[in-house]
Amino acid sequence: MWDVVVIGAGIEGSSAAWMVARDEKISGENTLLLDQFSLPHSRGSSGGQCRVIRFAYSEDYYAAMMKEAYELWLHIEQATETTLYRKTGMLWVEQHPTTLINEAQQHMKQLGMKFTSLPPAQLKTDFPMLSYPDDYSAFIDHDAGLLMAEKAVQSIQDLFKSHGGKIYDGIQVLEILPGDIIQLKTTKGVLKTRRVIIAAGPWTSKLIKPLGIHLPLETLAINVCYWKEKRPGWYSLDTGFPSVVERESPSKNWTIYSTPCYEYPGLMKMCSHDGTKVDPDQRDLEIFSDGDIKLISSYIKKHFPGLEDTPSIVERCMYTVTPDRDFILDRHPRWRNIVIGAGFSGHGFKLAPVVGKLLSELVLDKTPSYRMDPFKMARFFPQKVFPNMAMSQSHKGEDRVWDVIVVGAGIEGSSTAWHLAKSGQRTLQIEQFPLPHSRGSSHGQSRIIRKAYEEDYFVNMMKEAYQIWFDIEKESGVQVYRKTGLLCLERHPAKEVESVQRNLIKHGMKYRRLTIDELRKEYPMLNYPDNCQVVMDYEAGLLKANKALGTIQNLFRKHGGTIYDGEKVTEIIPGSIVHVRTSMGVHKARSVVLTVGPWASQVLKPLGLHLPLKTVAINVCYWKEKHPGWYSADNNFPTFIDALPSGHIYGIPCNEYPGLMKVCLHNGTEMDPDHRDSRLSNTWDIDHLSAYIRQHFPGLEDKPSVVERCMYTVTPDEQFILDRHPRWDNVIIGAGFSGTGFKLAPIVGKVLAELVMKKKLSYSLEPFRIARFFPVKSVL
C-alpha cells in the first residue's frame, strides 16, 4: 500500500513526487513515481536539452510563481551539485501597440525584477543581427536564461530517490479505480494507494476520461527546429545573444521563440508555439506536416538575416494545451484523493518546482501557496529575489595534465573512459552536447544484443561482452538487458544464416534451427516464404540503451572520472602531451581517445587522416499492432534480423511504446551530422519498410505511428576502426561502428583502454586496423 502514487515521470510529475516525498507528513519510502516508458526517454514533453526560463509574463500569477521557481531551481542545483541554469537574458519583441510587453514590465516592476526597455532605435543599435521594423519595441528580462531540461528531470528524480522515493518505469497504467483506497491496474499488476497525482502529459485525457472528466485538452506535435548561422557567433550564447520571443497577441495568432546557439554549435533553436494535433501514441503519423516550419522560415527571412532559412535539424516534442493556455491544477470534483496536473501548454517546465509544490499541497490536503482560480477545471464547465547563478563552466585556467582525455561521451567513449578510470587512469571525458542528449548514435530506448554473427571474431568478443554487461548490472544495481531471443532470417541459399549457425556451434552457444513449418506454427503472426531459412539465438535480447549509457557514465564517475559536457572540441594538437582545445579552454593529457561517432571525419582530417567514413541518418520506425500483444516482449515475441539482398531489416518487440513494434532498415540517407534532418522529407526507407510490413507482418499497421532519428557512421566493409594514429601512438581512434557497436561497447572500451595503456591486447585487431584502407604501416 502506497501513500501517494504519481503517474507520469516528466518534469511536472517528478517535481510533484519530490515535493511529496520531502513533506513531513509522508514517508518518502511510501511514495511511488510511475512512468509507462523506460527512463530516461524522449516520448513526452520533458525531453530535449534546454528550455527558456524567464520572469517576464503578462499574467501576474505566473510572474509571482516564477519568483519562487527560480529559488527552487537554485536549491535543486545546490542539492545535486548539478548545473541546470545558464543566464542568457531574454528579448521580448512586440509590434505596436505593445500590450503584452507593457503588462509584463508592470508585473516585473512590482516584483522588483530587472529589465530594460528597448525602443525601436535602441533595438536596432543593440541587436544589428536582427531586423525588426520601426513599429516594433522590445525589452530584456535580464535574469532569463536556459534550463538544461533532461538534466533537470534527472536531478529532481535523484532528489526524490534521496528522500526514499521509488520509481517504477516501463509500467503503463491501464485503469484507475477510485475510492478511499485507489487501485491502479497496470501492465505489471495492480497497485494500491491512498492518493494519486495524475501528471501524465499527453496521455492525461486517456486516463481521466474513464473517471468522468472530459477536459478540452489538445496534444500537439511540435517541430523543434535548429537553423544554421551564416556568420558564426552572431546568435551564440557565448557571445551574449539572448533568447528571443514574440508572443501571440491580438494581431497575431502565433508565438515564436528562440534560444541562442548552444545545443548544436552554430545552430540556433527557433520554434513555433503551435503544432499539429496528434494522438500521443502515434506522434509522428503526420511527421512531414511542415506548416509551422514554413511559418518560422518566413519569420527568419524577415527578422533574422544571419540565419539560413531551411532548418538543419528537426526534432519532435509534444505539448498538451488548454483553450486558454493555462494549466490545470485541481482535485477530481468527486474524489478528492485524485489530483490532476495537465495542460502545461509548452511553458510549464520552468514553473515545474512550483507546480510540483502545488500538486503536493492539493494531494496532502494543505492550503495551496498560490491562488488556484486560473487553474481550476471549473473554468471549462458551467458547474526572496532570485540570486545570481553564473553557472557556466570555464576551464581556461586549468593547468593539470590528465592521464587520458576521451573525446565523445557516446556508448563507446563512455565504456572506454570507464575501463580507464577503474584501471587507475586519471581520465577526463569531453562531450560537445549537454548530457544526456539525442544528437548522435547512442540514444534511444533499445538495441539488439546477440551472439549470432557471421564473423567469428565478433562471436568470440560477444561472449565476454555479455559477461561485462552482467557485471555492469551487478555493480550498478540497474537492469539493462532483457532476454528475448533472436530470429535470424534469410532466403535460400542463406549463406549468412549458415555462417551464423556454424559460429554458434563452434562457440557452444545455445541455438535452434527452425524449419519454415516450425516458424509458422510457433509464430503465426509472421508470414515468410517457403525458402526462408531460420536460426534462433536463444541468449539474444535487447539492451536498454539510454539506461545502459547513463549507468556506464555513473560507474565512470564512481571510479573517479570527470565529465565535461556542453564543450565542443575545436582542435587537437598532438605531441608527447596532447593539447585539446575546446569552446571552454585547453586541456592537456598524455594520451587522447577519439570516439566522436558521426563527427569522426571532422576531427580526424586535421590530423592527416582521411578515413572512408560515411554518416547516414536512420529513420527509427514504430508500427502499431492490430492485435494487442501479438508482437510484445511480454508475450515472448523475439527480436529479429532479416538478411535481405537489398539490406538488413531488424525488429524489436513491443517494449518501448506499448503496442508499437520497432522495425527499421539497417541503412539510411547520407548526410552531414551537423544537419541531420535537412533531408527530412526523404522517406524511401519508410516506403520500403511499409512494403515489408505488409508482406511479412500482417498484424502490424503499414504506416509508422512514431518516427525518430538516429545516425550510423559506417565504413566500406562495415567493420569498426580500432587503432592508433599512424604517426602519434598516444592518439587512439575508435570509429565506424556501423550500427552494430552498441552491444560490443564493453569490449570496444576494454580494447581502446588497452591501446592507451600499451597493454597486451585481449583480441586481434587485424579486422579493425586503419591500414586496411590505406597502404600505411600500422603502429600496433
Side-chain angles (χ1 to χ4, degrees), residues 21-66:
R22 72 202 288 253
D23 191 276
E24 294 177 357
K25 285 180 60 176
I26 294 291
S27 166
E29 294 179 355
N30 290 327
T31 306
L32 175 64
L33 179 60
L34 277 179
D35 201 275
Q36 62 178 320
F37 305 121
S38 297
L39 296 174
H41 67 78
S42 57
R43 308 298 196 251
S45 307
S46 298
Q49 292 308 307
C50 68
R51 298 290 192 281
V52 175
I53 182 170
R54 57 188 166 103
F55 281 118
Y57 269 100
S58 56
E59 301 88 353
D60 62 343
Y61 43 90
Y62 285 137
M65 291 163 72
M66 276 309 304

Side-chain angles (χ1 to χ4, degrees), residues 245-259:
V245 64
E246 181 172 358
R247 276 193 62 183
E248 181 177 353
S249 65
S251 62
K252 294 177 180 176
N253 61 358
W254 45 256
T255 295
I256 285 179
Y257 71 93
S258 66
T259 59

Side-chain angles (χ1 to χ4, degrees), residues 114-290:
K114 290 165 44 180
F115 68 90
T116 300
S117 298
L118 296 179
Q122 191 67 37
L123 177 62
K124 292 177 187 292
T125 300
D126 290 358
F127 296 98
M129 68 291 291
L130 300 178
S131 178
Y132 286 99
D134 291 340
D135 62 344
Y136 270 79
S137 289
F139 81 98
I140 294 179
D141 173 353
H142 288 289
D143 284 312
L146 302 181
L147 285 171
M148 307 299 108
E150 290 179 349
K151 276 189 179 178
V153 175
Q154 184 63 60
S155 295
I156 291 173
Q157 289 171 356
D158 289 343
L159 286 178
F160 169 60
K161 288 187 284 189
S162 75
H163 287 283
K166 302 293 190 300
I167 299 178
Y168 291 173
D169 61 345
I171 297 179
Q172 184 181 15
V173 174
L174 304 174
E175 187 178 5
I176 300 171
L177 302 176
D180 291 339
I181 300 300
I182 302 165
Q183 296 187 67
L184 304 176
K185 290 186 177 180
T186 78
T187 49
K188 299 293 186 181
V190 177
L191 300 170
K192 295 181 180 179
T193 180
R194 294 180 177 86
R195 310 171 185 88
V196 69
I197 296 173
I198 301 171
W203 291 270
T204 299
S205 287
K206 295 186 177 185
L207 286 174
I208 64 176
K209 281 181 181 177
L211 299 176
I213 301 179
H214 297 261
L215 292 175
L217 292 169
E218 271 192 354
T219 299
L220 305 177
I222 304 295
N223 285 314
V224 182
C225 302
Y226 296 82
W227 312 76
K228 185 179 180 182
E229 292 179 301
K230 295 176 183 176
R231 294 178 62 174
W234 256 27
Y235 303 101
S236 172
L237 183 149
D238 291 331
T239 56
F241 193 80
S243 301
V244 180
V245 64
E246 181 172 358
R247 276 193 62 183
E248 181 177 353
S249 65
S251 62
K252 294 177 180 176
N253 61 358
W254 45 256
T255 295
I256 285 179
Y257 71 93
S258 66
T259 59
C261 302
Y262 172 67
E263 303 169 51
Y264 276 114
L267 298 184
M268 183 175 184
K269 181 196 285 187
M270 187 179 296
C271 312
S272 167
H273 215 265
D274 202 358
T276 304
K277 187 175 179 181
V278 292
D279 176 345
D281 290 320
Q282 303 186 61
R283 183 190 70 184
D284 297 331
L285 203 57
E286 303 295 334
I287 190 169
F288 302 117
S289 176
D290 61 353

